[in-house]
Amino acid sequence: FFLTLTINHLSVLQCRLVVVRATPPPFLSKLNNKMAPTPSRFVRWSIRTTILLLLLLSTNIVVHSSEIGKPHDTVIPLTDENFESHLNDPSNGLWLLKFYAPWCGHCKQLEPKLDQAAPYLSGKMAIGKIDCTASTNKSLCKRFEIRGYPTLKFYRDGDFYDYPGGRTIDAIIDFGEKMSSSAVVLVKSAAEVMDQLVEKNMDGVAFLAYDPAAAAFGKKDDEKEVELDEFIQSTKLTQVFGQVARKMQAQASFGLLSSDIAPAELQTLGLDKLDGAFLVKIEKDILHRPKVYKGDINSLDYLNFVKENNVALVSLLGPHNFRTLTTMGKPLAIGVYDPEGDEAKSKEFEKELKSFALDGPNQMTEKYHFALMDGKKWGKFVSQFSIESDALPDIFILNAEEKTYWQDATITSSSSGGVVSAFFKAMENGEIESRKQSRGRAGGPFGVVIQAFLDNLPYSAIALAGIIFAFFAVFYFSFDDYPDDEPEQMTVAQRKHAEAIAAAEKESSEKKEEIVEGKK
C-alpha cells in the first residue's frame, strides 16, 4: 500500500490508496505463520490502520486551519452547515467572502491572490470561499442572489456588503488593514486631513466632524491620555459621526477634527466661516466649497447624507465606479470627451461641466449626479446612447435602472452659453425626449440605419410593415397576367424531351451489350 498526502497551506488533505498486490509481499511469507496475517486479514488490517491514521492527520490539520475561536490564516471553505458558526466567531469578526464556481477562469486567477493575502491578514480579516456549484451550497448562494462569478462580499457587525476594493493582492491587504483599524481618524491639522483622508480616497472626498465641546485630543485625563473611543462618545454629534463612519468605512473616509485645532488650519480647509459644531463633506479640488450637513443629528439622516454625497462633484466614470454612480437614486449626467483630440476643447468642456455642476441652477443640478467619460476608450459603450466618437465632446443623461437616456446631437459647443448649459436648458423645457437604451450598434451605414429604426419606434415598425405588404402585393398581382395554359404547355414539352433522352439511352445500352457479346 502507498499513501499519498498533499497538504496545501495546511488546509487541503488529499488521500489516495493504491492496492499494489492482492497477496502479501515475499518477505512476509518468511514470517512465522502465527505472526503473519492471512492475505485477506492483511488487507483489512492495512486499510483500517491507514484510515485511522488519515482521520487523525486530517483532524489535526482542520483544527489548525479553521478552528473556531482562533484567527484564520488560510482561506476557509464555507458551506451551509458551517457558514453561520464561522461568521459568528468573535475571533474573526470581519470576513471577505468569495462566491465562485470551480470552472470560472476569473475565480482561478483570484484564488492564489486570496491564498497569499490570508496569512498577512490573520487576526484582521478572515477569508472564506463558497462553491456555488456544490449541492450543499445552493441555498446559500440563492440567499445572496449570486448571478456571476466570482462575487465578493464582506461581512461585519451582522451585515453583508458588496466588496468595493480592487482584486490585486495589495488591494485586498489594504482593504483588510483599513477595515480592521478605526473607522475614524483623529486629525489636528489641514496637512493630516489631506494626507490621511483626502489623498487616500479615490474621488478625493472626505467627511469631517468638529465639535468644540468634545474631549480634546491629546489632553490628559487623570494622567491618562483620552482614548479614541472616549473622544468619539463625548458628544451626540461625535457619536452619530462614529456610528455612520463604521457603517460606511469601506466606501468613505472620516476624520474627527481636534476640538483645539488652530483657526488657521480651519481656514486652509475652507471651514473658518462655520460657527460651532458641524458635519461637512470636503473635496480635493474645491476645498473652498464644503458641503455642510444641515439635517437633524441622528444616524439615519446623516447616513443618507453620506451615501448621497460620497462621490466627487464630477467623477471620472469607469468600470470601478459605474455601478455605484448609476444606483445612487439619481440619473447620471455624463460628459463624453476625447482626451487624444483637441486638448483645449476637451479642457474647456470639462471646466464647463464642473462649473455647471457647482454653480448651475439648483432646480437642475440637484436632480443629477455628474461624471466625465473617455469617449475613445469607451466608444463601444457610449455608442448605445447615440454618441458619435468623431463628434466629441458631447453629453447625455442616463437612467440606468430604467434603461433610458436623453441625448440631442443638434446641441453643439457653438450653442449659446455652451453645450452643457444649452443641453440642460433643453432638458428643463422638455425639448429632449427620452429613448430606450440599445445594445450597441454596428459600424457603417448599416449601423446608422438600424439605430435610426430603433430611435423612431414604433413609427419605423409601422412603415416597415407597410413596405413589406406593398412588396408582396405587387409580387402576387404581377403573376395574374400570365396565361393559365403556359405552365401546362411547358410540362408537355418537358415530358417529350425526357422521353427522347430515355429512348436514346436505351439504344446506347443495347449496342454496348452487342459489342460485349461479340468480343466473347
Side-chain angles (χ1 to χ4, degrees):
F1 290 83
F2 292 93
L3 174 65
T4 303
L5 299 178
T6 303
I7 301 177
N8 181 19
H9 296 291
L10 299 178
S11 65
V12 179
L13 180 65
Q14 297 177 342
C15 306
R16 182 172 72 246
L17 292 177
V18 181
V19 179
V20 179
R21 26 184 324 143
T23 58
F27 74 90
L28 284 177
S29 62
K30 298 179 181 180
L31 296 177
N32 189 288
N33 290 336
K34 293 182 180 180
M35 298 180 61
T38 63
S40 59
R41 290 178 58 197
F42 174 76
V43 172
R44 291 197 300 270
W45 171 76
S46 300
I47 291 176
R48 289 172 182 171
T49 304
T50 303
I51 290 175
L52 179 61
L53 290 172
L54 294 179
L55 289 174
L56 291 173
L57 285 171
S58 62
T59 301
N60 289 336
I61 292 173
V62 171
V63 168
H64 175 78
S65 64
S66 61
E67 183 179 1
I68 300 294
K70 291 185 179 180
H72 302 312
D73 58 0
T74 60
V75 178
I76 307 301
L78 299 176
T79 65
D80 283 342
E81 295 181 357
N82 66 5
F83 188 78
E84 295 297 336
S85 60
H86 273 294
L87 265 63
N88 292 325
D89 180 10
S91 298
N92 297 280
L94 173 65
W95 282 84
L96 177 64
L97 304 173
K98 179 185 78 167
F99 295 84
Y100 74 102
W103 46 260
C104 166
H106 292 294
C107 303
K108 293 176 182 179
Q109 294 176 6
L110 183 61
E111 183 176 4
K113 299 175 184 178
L114 296 178
D115 288 337
Q116 294 179 52
Y120 289 98
L121 296 173
S122 179
K124 297 178 180 178
M125 182 176 73
I127 302 177
K129 59 181 182 180
I130 301 96
D131 181 0
C132 289
T133 64
S135 58
T136 55
N137 298 335
K138 293 293 184 182
S139 61
L140 192 60
C141 296
K142 184 178 180 181
R143 168 186 168 187
F144 291 101
E145 300 179 348
I146 304 302
R147 296 186 177 90
Y149 307 116
T151 294
L152 297 179
K153 294 181 177 291
F154 72 93
Y155 168 86
R156 187 172 70 175
D157 299 340
D159 293 321
F160 295 89
Y161 307 88
D162 292 333
Y163 170 70
R167 297 189 177 186
T168 64
I169 298 175
D170 290 340
I172 294 167
I173 292 176
D174 288 344
F175 177 79
E177 290 179 341
K178 175 185 178 182
M179 295 299 294
S180 61
S181 60
S182 174
V184 176
V185 178
L186 283 164
V187 288
K188 49 187 177 181
S189 69
E192 289 182 358
V193 170
M194 298 303 295
D195 294 341
Q196 299 182 36
L197 298 172
V198 175
E199 295 294 345
K200 291 185 177 181
N201 184 272
M202 186 175 296
D203 288 326
V205 170
F207 295 90
L208 301 177
Y210 174 74
D211 192 345
F217 174 58
K219 288 188 176 181
K220 300 290 182 176
D221 181 20
D222 297 331
E223 303 298 328
K224 187 177 181 180
E225 188 172 345
V226 176
E227 297 290 339
L228 175 60
D229 289 342
E230 293 178 356
F231 187 77
I232 294 174
Q233 297 299 324
S234 59
T235 68
K236 182 179 179 180
L237 183 142
T238 54
Q239 287 176 12
V240 168
F241 185 74
Q243 292 167 3
V244 173
R246 183 166 178 83
K247 192 83 172 177
M248 293 290 293
Q249 184 177 1
Q251 295 86 10
S253 299
F254 297 87
L256 193 54
L257 297 172
S258 170
S259 56
D260 58 357
I261 187 172
E265 301 293 339
L266 292 175
Q267 184 177 8
T268 302
L269 296 171
L271 306 175
D272 54 311
K273 297 180 180 180
L274 300 177
D275 296 327
F278 56 76
L279 298 168
V280 297
K281 166 205 168 182
I282 64 171
E283 187 176 333
K284 181 178 180 179
D285 296 330
I286 48 173
L287 286 177
H288 62 290
R289 299 286 293 272
K291 189 161 188 176
V292 182
Y293 172 69
K294 299 179 180 179
D296 295 334
I297 305 300
N298 62 71
S299 298
L300 182 59
D301 289 343
Y302 183 58
L303 176 63
N304 291 333
F305 171 82
V306 172
K307 288 181 176 180
E308 184 176 341
N309 293 281
N310 190 30
V311 291
L313 177 70
V314 178
S315 302
L316 184 61
L317 191 62
H320 67 285
N321 61 359
F322 179 81
R323 183 177 179 182
T324 299
L325 289 169
T326 54
T327 57
M328 294 185 69
K330 292 181 179 181
L332 184 62
I334 304 174
V336 187
Y337 70 107
D338 179 9
E340 300 175 359
D342 190 331
E343 184 177 355
K345 189 176 182 180
S346 296
K347 286 186 176 180
E348 180 62 28
F349 176 76
E350 179 180 352
K351 180 180 178 181
E352 183 186 353
L353 182 62
K354 289 183 176 181
S355 176
F356 182 85
L358 186 64
D359 297 318
N362 287 337
Q363 70 270 21
M364 297 185 190
T365 58
E366 291 296 327
K367 294 179 180 179
Y368 311 103
H369 288 296
F370 295 85
L372 278 167
M373 196 170 203
D374 185 337
K376 291 294 185 181
K377 185 176 182 180
W378 308 109
K380 185 176 181 180
F381 171 78
V382 298
S383 69
Q384 301 176 85
F385 312 104
S386 305
I387 300 293
E388 301 289 347
S389 59
D390 56 352
L392 301 179
D394 205 344
I395 187 171
F396 70 100
I397 292 174
L398 172 64
N399 186 330
E401 295 180 351
E402 298 182 4
K403 296 186 181 300
T404 56
Y405 71 98
W406 293 260
Q407 191 269 347
D408 188 348
T410 63
I411 300 176
T412 65
S413 56
S414 61
S415 302
S416 177
V419 61
V420 174
S421 56
F423 176 83
F424 281 99
K425 184 177 180 180
M427 279 290 298
E428 193 70 12
N429 294 335
E431 299 172 5
I432 304 177
E433 295 184 357
S434 63
R435 310 184 201 177
K436 282 293 181 181
Q437 177 182 346
S438 67
R439 293 181 176 269
R441 49 184 171 172
F446 186 68
V448 174
V449 172
I450 292 177
Q451 189 63 35
F453 178 83
L454 295 174
D455 290 343
N456 292 282
L457 287 173
Y459 308 108
S460 55
I462 296 173
L464 179 61
I467 293 172
I468 294 173
F469 176 78
F471 172 78
F472 278 104
V474 171
F475 183 78
Y476 175 78
F477 288 113
S478 65
F479 276 92
D480 283 351
D481 296 333
Y482 286 94
D484 293 337
D485 59 343
E486 183 173 353
E488 184 64 28
Q489 292 173 4
M490 294 284 290
T491 302
V492 172
Q494 290 175 352
R495 187 180 302 134
K496 290 181 178 180
H497 181 65
E499 290 174 354
I501 293 175
E505 290 178 350
K506 184 178 180 181
E507 182 180 357
S508 175
S509 177
E510 291 176 351
K511 288 182 179 180
K512 287 181 180 179
E513 290 179 359
E514 291 177 358
I515 293 172
V516 171
E517 289 296 330
K519 287 182 178 180
K520 287 182 179 180

